[in-house]
């Protein structure tokens, strides 16, 4: 039964990818005609930092994917405008995925709390489900923003490898404590770890990325940066 479910998910995702490929081709042509693509290219080259973050409206996301990481092509989205990278510092915006080329933020509705561990015990499930918009910026912009934020002033505690041993309950207990934010399975850290193992980043760049990951994914309370 489990194998059948996996096959069905894979089949649904394959259909989605075919539709997305056609949509993406049309989108790239439109972006080329309207100048969006040229601006994106300049941002990837380290230019136009103040407008290097792209805001996208999400119309649909693939729920049939098997891998955990939420990437750009898992969302059917359209361009809204370009904004400053510090747009990502708003309360209802959380870091979703980091690749070797870009950082992807999930923007939830103001009433959606993706860090509510009782409703969303795993962040990698809550992110794609609640995303109303995406904010995507080049990795160079994220590194610069992370360095501008500096080290978080709040204490950060890492709990590693507690799968299948009550980690969900433990996360909920920690989250019930005052002035504590507990999250489970933040994919932005997993994807950064994979990119580091593939040697996409130098140690200096990883430090800046970790600052941004901690500040945004762990969502420090106001005044803790």
């Amino acid at each position: 039964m489990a194998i059948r479910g996996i096959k069905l998910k894979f089949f649904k995702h394959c259909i989605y990818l075919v539709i997305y490929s056609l949509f993406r081709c049309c989108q790239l042509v439109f972006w080329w005609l309207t100048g969006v693509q040229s601006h994106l290219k300049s941002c990837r080259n380290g230019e136009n930092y103040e407008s290097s973050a792209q805001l996208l409206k999400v119309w649909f996301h693939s729920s049939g994917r098997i891998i955990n990481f939420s990437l750009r092509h898992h969302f059917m989205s359209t361009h809204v405008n370009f904004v400053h990278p510090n747009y990502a510092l708003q309360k209802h915006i959380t870091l979703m995925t980091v690749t070797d080329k870009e950082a992807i933020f999930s923007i939830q509705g103001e009433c959606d709390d993706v860090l509510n561990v009782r409703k969303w015990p795993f962040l990698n499930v809550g992110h794609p489900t609640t995303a109303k918009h995406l904010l995507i910026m080049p990795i160079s912009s994220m590194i610069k923003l992370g360095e501008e934020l500096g080290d978080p002033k709040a204490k950060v505690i890492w709990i590693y490898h507690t799968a299948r041993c009550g980690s969900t309950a433990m996360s909920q207990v920690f989250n019930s404590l005052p002035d504590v934010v507990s999250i489970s399975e933040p994919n932005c850290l997993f994807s950064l770890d994979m990119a580091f193992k593939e040697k996409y980043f130098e140690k200096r760049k990883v430090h800046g990325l970790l600052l941004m990951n901690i500040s945004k994914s762990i969502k420090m309370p106001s005044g803790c940066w």
Side-chain angles (χ1 to χ4, degrees):
M1 192 68 180
I3 296 177
R4 182 180 297 178
I6 293 175
K7 288 182 177 179
L8 181 60
K9 279 190 173 184
F10 179 73
F11 180 70
K12 288 170 60 179
H13 189 57
C14 287
I15 294 176
Y16 166 80
L17 289 178
V18 172
I19 298 173
Y20 177 83
S21 298
L22 296 174
F23 167 80
R24 184 63 172 163
C25 289
C26 296
Q27 185 178 64
L28 289 175
V29 171
F30 180 74
W31 284 2
W32 178 74
L33 292 173
T34 56
V36 172
Q37 195 63 23
S38 61
H39 185 82
L40 286 172
K41 184 177 180 180
S42 67
C43 293
R44 295 189 189 108
N45 292 332
E47 304 171 9
N48 302 314
Y49 170 72
E50 291 77 12
S51 59
S52 59
Q54 184 185 25
L55 184 63
L56 299 155
K57 179 175 176 58
V58 174
W59 297 98
F60 182 80
H61 81 277
S62 173
S63 58
R65 61 191 178 85
I66 297 176
I67 62 173
N68 286 329
F69 298 141
S70 295
L71 302 173
R72 177 194 288 263
H73 65 269
H74 294 147
F75 297 87
M76 199 84 73
S77 59
T78 53
H79 173 77
V80 177
N81 59 3
F82 290 102
V83 296
H84 195 286
N86 63 18
Y87 187 92
L89 302 181
Q90 297 181 60
K91 184 178 180 180
H92 60 292
I93 302 178
T94 49
L95 184 58
M96 184 165 57
T97 307
V98 179
T99 71
D100 60 312
K101 294 181 176 62
E102 60 190 16
I104 306 173
F105 294 80
S106 172
I107 304 179
Q108 299 84 38
E110 295 186 2
C111 296
D112 294 323
D113 184 7
V114 76
L115 297 180
N116 182 349
V117 294
R118 293 190 178 276
K119 185 175 182 179
W120 304 109
F122 306 111
L123 195 60
N124 57 18
V125 177
H127 266 153
T129 306
T130 60
K132 301 294 190 299
H133 291 79
L134 298 178
L135 185 69
I136 303 179
M137 66 180 72
I139 203 67
S140 58
S141 295
M142 182 178 169
I143 291 173
K144 184 174 181 178
L145 184 60
E147 291 173 344
E148 290 175 355
L149 287 175
D151 295 328
K153 297 177 183 178
K155 186 176 182 180
V156 178
I157 300 175
W158 302 85
I159 301 177
Y160 181 71
H161 243 302
T162 60
R164 302 293 186 269
C165 62
S167 61
T168 303
M170 182 175 65
S171 178
Q172 293 181 358
V173 169
F174 287 152
N175 201 65
S176 65
L177 298 173
D179 300 323
V180 173
V181 176
S182 175
I183 62 174
S184 179
E185 300 188 19
N187 274 344
C188 52
L189 295 180
F190 295 162
S191 56
L192 175 60
D193 178 62
M194 289 183 64
F196 178 64
K197 288 177 179 177
E198 294 295 331
K199 299 182 179 179
Y200 288 129
F201 304 124
E202 302 171 358
K203 287 186 178 180
R204 181 188 65 82
K205 291 184 178 181
V206 170
H207 177 69
L209 287 170
L210 276 174
L211 292 179
M212 188 60 186
N213 268 274
I214 293 171
S215 297
K216 283 304 298 172
S217 67
I218 299 181
K219 209 69 174 180
M220 297 300 179
S222 177
C224 290
W225 287 336

